[in-house]
Amino acid sequence: MKGFVDIFLHQWREALLTQSGLKITLVHLALVTGALLLGWPAAYTIGAANWAPALAWGLYAEAVVLSYLALAVPAGLFSSTNFVRPGQWILYERASPLAVYAALLFATLAVLFFWLLSTVPIMLLGLLLRPVAAETLRELLLFFTLLFLSLIQVGIWIGTAVEARTYRLLLVDIAYLVLMVGTLVLRTSVTAHVAAYLGASLLGLIIRPLSAIAQRLWQTLALETTQIQKLLAVHPLDVIGGLLRVTPKDAFAASAAGNLTGLAATSPGPAAAATSLAETYLVPWWHLLAFYGGTGIIFAVLSLLVLRKWQRRYTFAAKSGDEEKGVYK
């Protein structure tokens, strides 16, 4: 595919080898390390069957940080001043829309997995504290892959369709809030798990009115509460918690940070957490495939349509003898 390798390497260098790319790598490592240390168990005896939430904290941090990067990197938010918009590769490399799209997808995916693998030595500490089955690790890797693939599609569409960096930044932030807050708002309209520990926080004050509106909508649609809970438990932290058999609330309560805030004493522990997860947090994989896969397919089609539009502009400009005007107009 013409131009694929050049576009792939350019995207890789822009994401990792620039000054901003190096900063992102260091900040990512620092955040994941800090999360794992904050999630260190409040009490742990070597050789005993203790429950350690450090691994959960580290994976939560990975999901929160890498989800944003999966949107921002293909949208060109961290690129240098030499950033090339996806459609412009059709002019510079005479690449096809499919080649441009594939190069952006695989380059961003490779960068994200590089950042994910860079934290493996840190994550080993969490695994030593709380070993998990190999099957669980495979399922976690599968979910992260599905999450990345979905969000990269949104980022590619933003980078392809929007020219101004300010608007690209705005759209990336909105997409991230929809993922991290929007799905949480919908789920908290039918369950009190999150609202219980948000308390009187600012986020809680925002979520509660929105949850009341969503609750009224569910009543209008006459949907069962358990059906909605299973359908909406697609938030990354919910899925990770389900695979590790612990809710985010219990992971916080059993950590050193939870002990400092006085929540450790009220933690129901992993056994009680697993019971509640069986009803609320364990989501069938087809729900995840429908939500994330459907989102990815929609935005992949939109991205290819925009790239096709760029190709038609180039073709028209080539025929008229004014290539730059045809592409940049």
Side-chain angles (χ1 to χ4, degrees), residues 200-238:
S201 65
L202 178 60
L203 182 59
L205 293 175
I206 296 173
I207 284 182
R208 279 193 290 274
L210 294 176
S211 297
I213 296 174
Q215 179 69 52
R216 182 63 61 87
L217 176 62
W218 307 140
Q219 293 174 352
T220 303
L221 296 175
L223 295 175
E224 295 291 336
T225 298
T226 54
Q227 293 176 333
I228 302 169
Q229 287 176 341
K230 293 182 68 176
L231 182 64
L232 297 179
V234 294
H235 192 281
L237 301 192
D238 282 346

Short mmCIF file of all heavy atoms in Angstrom, two decimals, residues 200-238:
data_model
loop_
_atom_site.label_atom_id
_atom_site.label_comp_id
_atom_site.label_asym_id
_atom_site.label_seq_id
_atom_site.Cartn_x
_atom_site.Cartn_y
_atom_site.Cartn_z
N ALA A 200 -20.80 14.21 48.89
CA ALA A 200 -21.15 15.60 48.58
C ALA A 200 -20.09 16.26 47.70
O ALA A 200 -19.97 17.47 47.69
CB ALA A 200 -21.31 16.39 49.88
N SER A 201 -19.33 15.45 46.96
CA SER A 201 -18.29 16.02 46.11
C SER A 201 -18.90 16.81 44.96
O SER A 201 -20.09 16.68 44.65
CB SER A 201 -17.41 14.90 45.54
OG SER A 201 -18.16 14.08 44.68
N LEU A 202 -18.06 17.60 44.31
CA LEU A 202 -18.54 18.40 43.18
C LEU A 202 -19.05 17.51 42.06
O LEU A 202 -20.09 17.78 41.46
CB LEU A 202 -17.40 19.29 42.67
CG LEU A 202 -17.73 20.17 41.45
CD1 LEU A 202 -18.88 21.11 41.77
CD2 LEU A 202 -16.50 20.96 41.02
N LEU A 203 -18.31 16.42 41.78
CA LEU A 203 -18.75 15.50 40.74
C LEU A 203 -20.09 14.87 41.10
O LEU A 203 -20.95 14.68 40.25
CB LEU A 203 -17.69 14.41 40.52
CG LEU A 203 -17.97 13.39 39.42
CD1 LEU A 203 -18.13 14.10 38.08
CD2 LEU A 203 -16.86 12.36 39.34
N GLY A 204 -20.27 14.56 42.38
CA GLY A 204 -21.54 13.99 42.82
C GLY A 204 -22.69 14.96 42.62
O GLY A 204 -23.80 14.58 42.24
N LEU A 205 -22.44 16.25 42.88
CA LEU A 205 -23.49 17.26 42.68
C LEU A 205 -23.88 17.37 41.21
O LEU A 205 -25.03 17.69 40.88
CB LEU A 205 -23.00 18.62 43.20
CG LEU A 205 -22.77 18.73 44.71
CD1 LEU A 205 -22.17 20.08 45.06
CD2 LEU A 205 -24.09 18.52 45.46
N ILE A 206 -22.94 17.11 40.31
CA ILE A 206 -23.23 17.17 38.88
C ILE A 206 -23.96 15.91 38.44
O ILE A 206 -24.92 15.96 37.66
CB ILE A 206 -21.93 17.34 38.08
CG1 ILE A 206 -21.28 18.69 38.43
CG2 ILE A 206 -22.19 17.27 36.58
CD1 ILE A 206 -19.91 18.87 37.82
N ILE A 207 -23.51 14.77 38.94
CA ILE A 207 -24.05 13.50 38.48
C ILE A 207 -25.47 13.26 38.96
O ILE A 207 -26.31 12.76 38.23
CB ILE A 207 -23.13 12.33 38.91
CG1 ILE A 207 -21.89 12.30 38.02
CG2 ILE A 207 -23.85 11.01 38.84
CD1 ILE A 207 -20.95 11.18 38.33
N ARG A 208 -25.77 13.64 40.21
CA ARG A 208 -27.08 13.30 40.76
C ARG A 208 -28.25 13.88 39.96
O ARG A 208 -29.20 13.15 39.65
CB ARG A 208 -27.15 13.72 42.23
CG ARG A 208 -26.47 12.71 43.16
CD ARG A 208 -26.84 12.98 44.62
NE ARG A 208 -26.21 14.20 45.10
CZ ARG A 208 -24.99 14.28 45.61
NH1 ARG A 208 -24.24 13.20 45.68
NH2 ARG A 208 -24.50 15.41 46.03
N PRO A 209 -28.23 15.17 39.57
CA PRO A 209 -29.35 15.67 38.76
C PRO A 209 -29.44 14.97 37.40
O PRO A 209 -30.55 14.67 36.93
CB PRO A 209 -29.02 17.16 38.59
CG PRO A 209 -28.10 17.49 39.70
CD PRO A 209 -27.30 16.25 39.94
N LEU A 210 -28.28 14.71 36.78
CA LEU A 210 -28.30 14.02 35.50
C LEU A 210 -28.82 12.60 35.66
O LEU A 210 -29.54 12.09 34.79
CB LEU A 210 -26.90 14.01 34.90
CG LEU A 210 -26.32 15.38 34.50
CD1 LEU A 210 -24.90 15.23 34.01
CD2 LEU A 210 -27.19 16.04 33.43
N SER A 211 -28.47 11.96 36.76
CA SER A 211 -28.94 10.60 37.00
C SER A 211 -30.45 10.57 37.20
O SER A 211 -31.13 9.63 36.77
CB SER A 211 -28.24 10.01 38.24
OG SER A 211 -26.85 9.92 38.02
N ALA A 212 -30.98 11.60 37.85
CA ALA A 212 -32.43 11.66 38.04
C ALA A 212 -33.17 11.77 36.71
O ALA A 212 -34.21 11.15 36.49
CB ALA A 212 -32.78 12.86 38.93
N ILE A 213 -32.59 12.56 35.80
CA ILE A 213 -33.19 12.69 34.47
C ILE A 213 -33.13 11.35 33.73
O ILE A 213 -34.11 10.92 33.10
CB ILE A 213 -32.46 13.78 33.66
CG1 ILE A 213 -32.66 15.14 34.33
CG2 ILE A 213 -32.98 13.82 32.22
CD1 ILE A 213 -31.85 16.25 33.70
N ALA A 214 -31.96 10.68 33.80
CA ALA A 214 -31.83 9.39 33.15
C ALA A 214 -32.78 8.36 33.75
O ALA A 214 -33.36 7.54 33.05
CB ALA A 214 -30.38 8.90 33.24
N GLN A 215 -32.96 8.42 35.08
CA GLN A 215 -33.87 7.49 35.76
C GLN A 215 -35.29 7.65 35.24
O GLN A 215 -36.01 6.67 35.00
CB GLN A 215 -33.83 7.74 37.27
CG GLN A 215 -34.77 6.84 38.08
CD GLN A 215 -34.31 5.41 38.06
OE1 GLN A 215 -33.16 5.14 38.35
NE2 GLN A 215 -35.19 4.50 37.72
N ARG A 216 -35.71 8.89 35.04
CA ARG A 216 -37.05 9.15 34.49
C ARG A 216 -37.18 8.57 33.08
O ARG A 216 -38.23 8.04 32.71
CB ARG A 216 -37.31 10.65 34.47
CG ARG A 216 -38.70 11.03 33.97
CD ARG A 216 -39.78 10.47 34.88
NE ARG A 216 -39.66 11.01 36.22
CZ ARG A 216 -40.23 12.17 36.60
NH1 ARG A 216 -40.95 12.86 35.75
NH2 ARG A 216 -40.09 12.59 37.84
N LEU A 217 -36.10 8.66 32.30
CA LEU A 217 -36.12 8.10 30.95
C LEU A 217 -36.28 6.60 30.99
O LEU A 217 -37.08 6.03 30.22
CB LEU A 217 -34.82 8.48 30.22
CG LEU A 217 -34.64 7.89 28.81
CD1 LEU A 217 -35.74 8.39 27.89
CD2 LEU A 217 -33.27 8.26 28.25
N TRP A 218 -35.54 5.93 31.90
CA TRP A 218 -35.68 4.47 31.99
C TRP A 218 -37.10 4.09 32.38
O TRP A 218 -37.65 3.10 31.88
CB TRP A 218 -34.70 3.90 33.02
CG TRP A 218 -33.27 4.27 32.83
CD1 TRP A 218 -32.38 4.59 33.81
CD2 TRP A 218 -32.54 4.37 31.60
NE1 TRP A 218 -31.17 4.89 33.27
CE2 TRP A 218 -31.23 4.77 31.91
CE3 TRP A 218 -32.88 4.19 30.26
CZ2 TRP A 218 -30.26 4.96 30.94
CZ3 TRP A 218 -31.91 4.39 29.29
CH2 TRP A 218 -30.63 4.76 29.63
N GLN A 219 -37.70 4.85 33.30
CA GLN A 219 -39.07 4.55 33.70
C GLN A 219 -40.04 4.72 32.53
O GLN A 219 -40.98 3.95 32.37
CB GLN A 219 -39.48 5.46 34.86
CG GLN A 219 -38.72 5.18 36.15
CD GLN A 219 -39.03 6.20 37.24
OE1 GLN A 219 -39.70 7.19 37.00
NE2 GLN A 219 -38.51 5.95 38.44
N THR A 220 -39.80 5.75 31.71
CA THR A 220 -40.64 5.98 30.54
C THR A 220 -40.54 4.82 29.56
O THR A 220 -41.54 4.39 28.96
CB THR A 220 -40.25 7.29 29.83
OG1 THR A 220 -40.34 8.36 30.77
CG2 THR A 220 -41.16 7.57 28.65
N LEU A 221 -39.31 4.29 29.39
CA LEU A 221 -39.09 3.18 28.47
C LEU A 221 -39.48 1.84 29.07
O LEU A 221 -39.47 0.83 28.37
CB LEU A 221 -37.62 3.14 28.06
CG LEU A 221 -37.11 4.35 27.26
CD1 LEU A 221 -35.62 4.23 27.01
CD2 LEU A 221 -37.87 4.49 25.94
N ALA A 222 -39.81 1.84 30.37
CA ALA A 222 -40.26 0.63 31.07
C ALA A 222 -39.22 -0.49 31.01
O ALA A 222 -39.53 -1.65 30.76
CB ALA A 222 -41.59 0.15 30.51
N LEU A 223 -37.95 -0.13 31.21
CA LEU A 223 -36.89 -1.12 31.23
C LEU A 223 -36.62 -1.58 32.65
O LEU A 223 -36.71 -0.81 33.59
CB LEU A 223 -35.60 -0.54 30.63
CG LEU A 223 -35.65 -0.18 29.14
CD1 LEU A 223 -34.35 0.49 28.74
CD2 LEU A 223 -35.90 -1.41 28.29
N GLU A 224 -36.26 -2.87 32.80
CA GLU A 224 -35.92 -3.40 34.10
C GLU A 224 -34.56 -2.88 34.56
O GLU A 224 -33.65 -2.72 33.76
CB GLU A 224 -35.89 -4.94 34.06
CG GLU A 224 -37.25 -5.57 33.78
CD GLU A 224 -38.21 -5.41 34.95
OE1 GLU A 224 -37.72 -5.23 36.08
OE2 GLU A 224 -39.42 -5.44 34.71
N THR A 225 -34.44 -2.64 35.88
CA THR A 225 -33.19 -2.11 36.42
C THR A 225 -32.00 -3.01 36.13
O THR A 225 -30.93 -2.56 35.73
CB THR A 225 -33.32 -1.90 37.94
OG1 THR A 225 -34.35 -0.96 38.17
CG2 THR A 225 -32.02 -1.39 38.52
N THR A 226 -32.18 -4.32 36.32
CA THR A 226 -31.06 -5.24 36.10
C THR A 226 -30.64 -5.26 34.63
O THR A 226 -29.46 -5.41 34.32
CB THR A 226 -31.46 -6.66 36.54
OG1 THR A 226 -32.69 -7.04 35.88
CG2 THR A 226 -31.66 -6.71 38.04
N GLN A 227 -31.60 -5.11 33.72
CA GLN A 227 -31.26 -5.07 32.31
C GLN A 227 -30.40 -3.86 31.99
O GLN A 227 -29.43 -3.94 31.24
CB GLN A 227 -32.53 -5.04 31.45
CG GLN A 227 -33.36 -6.32 31.52
CD GLN A 227 -34.65 -6.19 30.74
OE1 GLN A 227 -35.19 -5.10 30.57
NE2 GLN A 227 -35.15 -7.31 30.26
N ILE A 228 -30.77 -2.71 32.55
CA ILE A 228 -30.04 -1.48 32.28
C ILE A 228 -28.64 -1.55 32.89
O ILE A 228 -27.67 -1.11 32.28
CB ILE A 228 -30.81 -0.27 32.84
CG1 ILE A 228 -32.20 -0.19 32.23
CG2 ILE A 228 -30.06 1.03 32.54
CD1 ILE A 228 -33.11 0.80 32.91
N GLN A 229 -28.53 -2.10 34.08
CA GLN A 229 -27.23 -2.21 34.73
C GLN A 229 -26.27 -3.03 33.87
O GLN A 229 -25.12 -2.64 33.65
CB GLN A 229 -27.37 -2.85 36.10
CG GLN A 229 -27.99 -1.94 37.16
CD GLN A 229 -28.20 -2.64 38.48
OE1 GLN A 229 -28.22 -3.86 38.53
NE2 GLN A 229 -28.35 -1.88 39.54
N LYS A 230 -26.73 -4.16 33.38
CA LYS A 230 -25.87 -5.02 32.56
C LYS A 230 -25.53 -4.34 31.23
O LYS A 230 -24.44 -4.48 30.72
CB LYS A 230 -26.56 -6.36 32.32
CG LYS A 230 -26.71 -7.21 33.57
CD LYS A 230 -27.34 -8.54 33.26
CE LYS A 230 -26.40 -9.40 32.43
NZ LYS A 230 -26.94 -10.75 32.18
N LEU A 231 -26.49 -3.59 30.70
CA LEU A 231 -26.28 -2.94 29.41
C LEU A 231 -25.30 -1.79 29.52
O LEU A 231 -24.51 -1.55 28.61
CB LEU A 231 -27.62 -2.44 28.86
CG LEU A 231 -27.59 -1.78 27.48
CD1 LEU A 231 -27.16 -2.79 26.42
CD2 LEU A 231 -28.95 -1.20 27.14
N LEU A 232 -25.34 -1.07 30.64
CA LEU A 232 -24.55 0.16 30.77
C LEU A 232 -23.23 -0.03 31.51
O LEU A 232 -22.47 0.91 31.63
CB LEU A 232 -25.38 1.23 31.49
CG LEU A 232 -26.64 1.68 30.76
CD1 LEU A 232 -27.39 2.71 31.60
CD2 LEU A 232 -26.33 2.25 29.40
N ALA A 233 -22.96 -1.21 32.02
CA ALA A 233 -21.71 -1.44 32.74
C ALA A 233 -20.57 -1.66 31.75
O ALA A 233 -19.94 -2.71 31.72
CB ALA A 233 -21.84 -2.63 33.69
N VAL A 234 -20.33 -0.65 30.91
CA VAL A 234 -19.27 -0.73 29.91
C VAL A 234 -18.16 0.27 30.20
O VAL A 234 -17.23 0.40 29.40
CB VAL A 234 -19.84 -0.48 28.49
CG1 VAL A 234 -20.78 -1.58 28.07
CG2 VAL A 234 -20.53 0.88 28.41
N HIS A 235 -18.26 0.97 31.31
CA HIS A 235 -17.21 1.90 31.70
C HIS A 235 -15.91 1.13 31.91
O HIS A 235 -15.91 0.03 32.48
CB HIS A 235 -17.61 2.61 33.00
CG HIS A 235 -16.76 3.78 33.35
ND1 HIS A 235 -15.52 3.63 33.92
CD2 HIS A 235 -16.95 5.12 33.21
CE1 HIS A 235 -14.99 4.82 34.13
NE2 HIS A 235 -15.83 5.74 33.70
N PRO A 236 -14.77 1.65 31.44
CA PRO A 236 -13.50 0.91 31.57
C PRO A 236 -13.20 0.44 32.99
O PRO A 236 -12.72 -0.68 33.19
CB PRO A 236 -12.46 1.92 31.08
CG PRO A 236 -13.21 2.77 30.10
CD PRO A 236 -14.60 2.90 30.66
N LEU A 237 -13.48 1.27 33.99
CA LEU A 237 -13.19 0.86 35.36
C LEU A 237 -14.12 -0.26 35.81
O LEU A 237 -13.74 -1.12 36.60
CB LEU A 237 -13.32 2.07 36.31
CG LEU A 237 -12.41 3.26 36.02
CD1 LEU A 237 -12.42 4.23 37.19
CD2 LEU A 237 -10.98 2.82 35.72
N ASP A 238 -15.37 -0.24 35.33
CA ASP A 238 -16.29 -1.34 35.63
C ASP A 238 -15.79 -2.65 35.06
O ASP A 238 -15.83 -3.70 35.72
CB ASP A 238 -17.68 -1.03 35.06
CG ASP A 238 -18.45 -0.04 35.90
OD1 ASP A 238 -18.04 0.21 37.05
OD2 ASP A 238 -19.46 0.50 35.42
#
